[in-house]
Amino acid sequence: MKQQLIPIVAIAVTILVTSSCGALRSNSASGGEVTGVGVSSYSEPTPYGMVLIDCGSMREGPAQRDSVWGVDSTAHGVSVEAFWMDETEITNSKYKQFVYWVRDSIIRERLADPAYGGNEDFKIEEDRDGNPVTPHLNWNKAIPWKNPSEDEERAIESVYRVNLITGKKELDPTQLNYRYEVYNLTEAAKRRNRIDALQHSDVMRRDYNTDHEQDLTAPMISKDTAYVDDEGRIVRQTITRRLQNDYDFVNTYIVNIYPDTTCWINDFDNAYNEPYVRMYFANGNYNNHPVVGVSWEQANAFCVWRTEFLKKSLGKENVYIEPYRLPTEAEWEFAARAGINANKYPWEGDLPLTGEEGCFYANFKPQEGNYVKDGNIITSPVGTYQPNDFGLYDMAGNVSEWTSTAYTESIDRMTSDLNPEYRYWVAQEDPYKMSRKIVRGGSWKDVAHNIRGDIRMWEYQNEQRSYIGFRCVRTKVGFGKAKRKK
């Protein structure tokens, strides 16, 4: 079967801007009354492939204790803000777009490198007026895939390698590293970390309690940074030092983004899953299946890239838009159960199949040793089964899904009931168990109980499994109600 390549296509999303009068009304026009000042605002149309989930509340977690499965009753009320959510899990096709973008960025970087001919057209260092700008790649300059010069061909071929066994040319996964930076607004906003308290000792900014003297010594902060060493290995470091400026809240990450295709063998002992290793991500027949073998770290990198790709496509690099991100656990459960307390699954009732026709609601493991009774032996193409009342597909089964939420046994007692979220940025010196992140929804290999929408599971953030994928969300900006399917 000829492999089908996925072209990089710009996302067709626009931001609609509605300006209101920004001038202060005169006293004569308002009669001396305060009438307010209008400011520009913007609202978002439906992002491509996403469904609007209205703000709402529900009882999160299992409502009943189940001693057979060791499930305790942990139901508690929570509320979440409105957000957009991918109607399906991220597919191999969409993730390939990320992989090919990273590949093309490496090639463009090398085409501009003097060691490969030094074509300055592939890198922009000046604006149209000749003023210096931060050097960045020129994506309007096409890569010469056909009829390249000798130097250009060396640059293009440098991201490939020859398989020692088959002798075929293939992408070199070890080179596909994505570097990004994240500003930790949560830490920067905390009063104990306010920088203006360092600059203005007469202003009590860190502690509003005036009964005791305030310590204005700069607090200690920890930030993540990373670099690639001379041997091509990613080296991650956690730096601890006195707070100096806002850049101390910028964390740098370098992530190798190629999926672990060997997860099909490593997840199952004594099983012949080699065809999946060769075909699942590479063969076009699986383009519309959910991507697997992707860690929590890689899923986060995809979200950051997707945000930057959108901004560049819109020409809005310097404009803030709500980023794509992984859903919080509370957002995921609210969306999966369609905000209905009685739902253990994304549908009504306690059975994973319809009563009338006997059709399955999800892709899971119906019986011991029988993976195919629901029509699929491993994953199914996304959207194969009926969506829930919010219009979301595969919120039970197919693949489990990463959330942004860190796992700890006491999480239900630690989080707020308003947009609950527990995040923990793991330092290099932390015990490995601190890197656990919550996954939800169950997968194609799980029995019916484990695909419930109210059941919590976890995995280590750097693990890559044949049964874990993800989908993205974006916080809703502005007002408006979602149109529900009837």
Side-chain angles (χ1 to χ4, degrees), residues 176-460:
L176 299 176
N177 300 326
Y178 180 70
R179 181 186 184 276
Y180 68 95
E181 294 179 337
V182 175
Y183 180 71
N184 192 339
L185 178 60
T186 299
E187 287 300 312
K190 291 180 178 178
R191 290 186 181 131
R192 68 168 183 259
N193 291 333
R194 283 184 170 167
I195 296 175
D196 56 2
L198 304 176
Q199 301 167 346
H200 307 287
S201 59
D202 57 328
V203 179
M204 297 300 181
R205 296 286 290 163
R206 290 199 181 135
D207 188 349
Y208 290 160
N209 188 341
T210 58
D211 288 341
H212 55 78
E213 185 176 352
Q214 187 171 153
D215 180 11
L216 295 179
T217 304
M220 301 296 293
I221 60 95
S222 293
K223 64 175 294 183
D224 293 330
T225 186
Y227 65 92
V228 178
D229 64 15
D230 294 337
E231 297 181 5
R233 295 174 301 189
I234 298 173
V235 179
R236 179 186 162 194
Q237 294 179 326
T238 302
I239 299 173
T240 301
R241 67 185 185 199
R242 291 286 180 184
L243 175 62
Q244 298 175 7
N245 52 50
D246 276 332
Y247 286 104
D248 286 330
F249 301 110
V250 176
N251 296 273
T252 302
Y253 300 97
I254 300 177
V255 179
N256 183 273
I257 54 93
Y258 202 83
D260 180 9
T261 58
T262 68
C263 61
W264 294 98
I265 289 178
N266 288 290
D267 287 343
F268 300 93
D269 292 332
N270 300 317
Y272 181 63
N273 289 335
E274 291 182 17
Y276 304 138
V277 174
R278 292 189 291 266
M279 296 189 304
Y280 188 81
F281 188 67
N283 192 299
N285 286 316
Y286 291 96
N287 276 345
N288 207 34
H289 287 242
V291 67
V292 297
V294 173
S295 69
W296 180 88
E297 296 167 351
Q298 291 172 315
N300 273 284
F302 177 92
C303 293
V304 174
W305 166 79
R306 188 176 178 182
T307 304
E308 293 304 309
F309 184 74
L310 173 60
K311 291 169 68 175
K312 289 178 181 179
S313 299
L314 298 173
K316 304 286 185 181
E317 289 92 337
N318 297 321
V319 176
Y320 178 82
I321 64 172
E322 281 298 321
Y324 291 100
R325 55 182 175 82
L326 294 179
T328 67
E329 180 190 31
E331 288 173 333
W332 193 98
E333 182 172 332
F334 179 77
R337 298 169 66 188
I340 301 174
N341 293 331
N343 283 1
K344 294 180 181 179
Y345 295 94
W347 53 82
E348 293 183 28
D350 294 338
L351 296 176
L353 49 84
T354 62
E356 296 180 358
E357 297 126 356
C359 297
F360 284 93
Y361 282 130
N363 177 15
F364 67 111
K365 183 181 177 181
Q367 295 175 342
E368 180 184 359
N370 189 345
Y371 293 85
V372 300
K373 190 174 181 178
D374 58 10
N376 303 274
I377 189 169
I378 54 168
T379 62
S380 59
V382 297
T384 297
Y385 300 86
Q386 291 295 315
N388 70 357
D389 288 345
F390 281 179
L392 299 167
Y393 295 86
D394 301 314
M395 295 299 284
N398 214 14
V399 292
S400 298
E401 299 177 16
W402 290 110
T403 73
S404 60
T405 307
Y407 174 81
T408 178
E409 287 80 359
S410 58
I411 185 173
D412 292 323
R413 298 190 295 273
M414 296 172 57
T415 52
S416 170
D417 57 2
L418 173 63
N419 297 318
E421 172 70 326
Y422 174 64
R423 292 189 177 181
Y424 186 79
W425 302 98
V426 181
Q428 284 295 91
E429 61 271 18
D430 285 334
Y432 188 45
K433 72 175 184 178
M434 301 297 290
S435 68
R436 293 177 293 181
K437 298 297 187 288
I438 292 174
V439 294
R440 287 301 203 111
S443 73
W444 57 270
K445 73 166 189 60
D446 289 309
V447 296
H449 174 273
N450 291 341
I451 65 172
R452 283 171 48 173
D454 60 348
I455 296 295
R456 173 184 294 142
M457 294 166 280
W458 59 263
E459 184 54 88
Y460 295 103

Side-chain angles (χ1 to χ4, degrees), residues 42-201:
Y42 68 91
S43 59
E44 299 172 318
T46 303
Y48 177 77
M50 288 190 139
V51 173
L52 176 60
I53 309 298
D54 283 332
C55 60
S57 64
M58 72 174 303
R59 299 283 293 174
E60 181 186 19
Q64 299 175 335
R65 187 174 183 274
D66 188 339
S67 58
V68 175
W69 289 93
V71 175
D72 290 327
S73 175
T74 60
H76 57 286
V78 299
S79 295
V80 293
E81 183 56 273
F83 58 96
W84 300 98
M85 186 177 227
D86 283 328
E87 62 181 353
T88 70
E89 295 142 339
I90 296 299
T91 62
N92 282 325
S93 176
K94 290 182 178 179
Y95 198 84
K96 282 177 187 175
Q97 187 171 344
F98 181 29
V99 170
Y100 291 166
W101 186 94
V102 172
R103 176 201 65 183
D104 292 353
S105 68
I106 296 172
I107 292 175
R108 280 186 167 85
E109 192 74 48
R110 289 176 183 168
L111 287 168
D113 188 336
Y116 293 93
N119 189 335
E120 297 179 354
D121 291 341
F122 284 97
K123 204 160 195 179
I124 299 174
E125 298 183 352
E126 296 180 345
D127 61 19
R128 294 180 179 178
D129 299 323
N131 300 314
V133 296
T134 302
H136 57 279
L137 297 177
N138 180 9
W139 285 89
N140 293 322
K141 176 68 175 176
I143 295 174
W145 298 105
K146 296 182 179 180
N147 302 318
S149 68
E150 183 178 343
D151 286 332
E152 291 171 339
E153 185 174 10
R154 285 195 304 113
I156 294 172
E157 293 298 320
S158 67
V159 298
Y160 293 88
R161 67 184 183 186
V162 175
N163 188 299
L164 296 178
I165 306 301
T166 65
K168 294 183 178 180
K169 185 178 74 172
E170 61 188 16
L171 267 178
D172 183 0
T174 63
Q175 296 189 52
L176 299 176
N177 300 326
Y178 180 70
R179 181 186 184 276
Y180 68 95
E181 294 179 337
V182 175
Y183 180 71
N184 192 339
L185 178 60
T186 299
E187 287 300 312
K190 291 180 178 178
R191 290 186 181 131
R192 68 168 183 259
N193 291 333
R194 283 184 170 167
I195 296 175
D196 56 2
L198 304 176
Q199 301 167 346
H200 307 287
S201 59

